[in-house]
Amino acid sequence: MQQRQLGAGGPLVSALGLGCMGMSEFYGPSDDEQSMLTLARALELGIRLFDTADTYGLGHNESLLGRFIEQGGPARRQQMVVATKFGIVLQAGQYERRIDNSPAYIRAACEASLRRLGLERIDLYYCHRRDPAVPIEEVVGAMADLVAAGKVGAIGLSEVSVPTLRRAHAVHPVAAVQSEYSLWSREPEGGLLAACAELGTAFVAYSPLGRAFLTATVDTAQLADNDFRKHNPRFAGEAEAHNRQLVAALGGFAEARGLSNAQVALAWLLNKAPHVIPIPGTRRISYLESNAASAGMALSADEMAWLDRLFDPAAVAGARYPEAGFAGVERG
């Protein structure tokens, strides 16, 4: 597995991480035993960055990861870089959320995450979403206090604008910015990727497979009732039909090269810039193994340009979230 640096002076991590969210919610039923086997296989494949958040499954996801770490003991812990997040407050059974960035909440959320994970230190701690009513300097100041106290190794931000990143970085080095980035979600190319490179900040790309739509394996008619994609604009009606044409073209490109759609989509990200670290999520070992094989796959300049043109942002139909999902996302 290739390695990439998690921020200037930060640890080396695998070029691909593992997003753990789907092991707890949003994508239909999950199975803890299957998830534990997938986590173990990820380590065997050289994956070192494991991404969770306090809100995933209302704490279940952190607890699951904590049990996995505990079962493997100190040797397993030493192999893993654990990232988690604070800031989104959910109620059971509801998609709507509120955002809390207050210093008191940050401190309390960190302690709760440490308990669920069974750790003394969180390797990378993100502000998951921004509350514009709380100055970013105040947010980062509280996070920097956690670093000074030894409870957090490095800090990150999620779904922020370039000005917010620069203001935050002036207070304390920001090791990573995490935002949605994939063939069909290209907003970071509007300046955020370049700003991260300038500041020595890693860019962690979540949903790099378009919530699996880019893989051509999703049957929207069969999605479970608790699968949030049923309410995602890109997965519905005319938008879905239009986007399936793009995915079909991607499939032809991949097949001609003996690759899967997912492998092409991940290779495209990895070839975009050396500071990009995709974190595809999966509960299945077969998908995990296929994804891991994409690390190190080279795409030519002509192939990259063809994929860029195919998934020109103007060619993609539908917003990447329903409106409630944009709470705390800094757009533009």
Side-chain angles (χ1 to χ4, degrees), residues 130 136 157-169 177-179 187 190-193 195-196 199 328-332:
R130 282 281 296 118
I136 191 63
L157 304 173
S158 180
E159 291 284 6
V160 296
S161 65
V162 172
T164 293
L165 170 59
R166 292 191 184 281
R167 287 170 54 195
H169 197 78
V177 166
Q178 181 175 143
S179 291
E187 292 87 346
L192 189 57
L193 278 177
C196 286
L199 297 173
V329 172
E330 294 189 333
R331 291 185 269 188

Side-chain angles (χ1 to χ4, degrees), residues 62-83:
E62 288 183 329
S63 296
L64 175 74
L65 197 56
R67 292 198 301 275
F68 175 72
I69 296 169
E70 182 182 27
Q71 288 178 10
R76 176 173 286 176
R77 172 66 181 111
Q78 290 173 8
Q79 295 182 73
M80 300 174 65
V81 173
V82 177

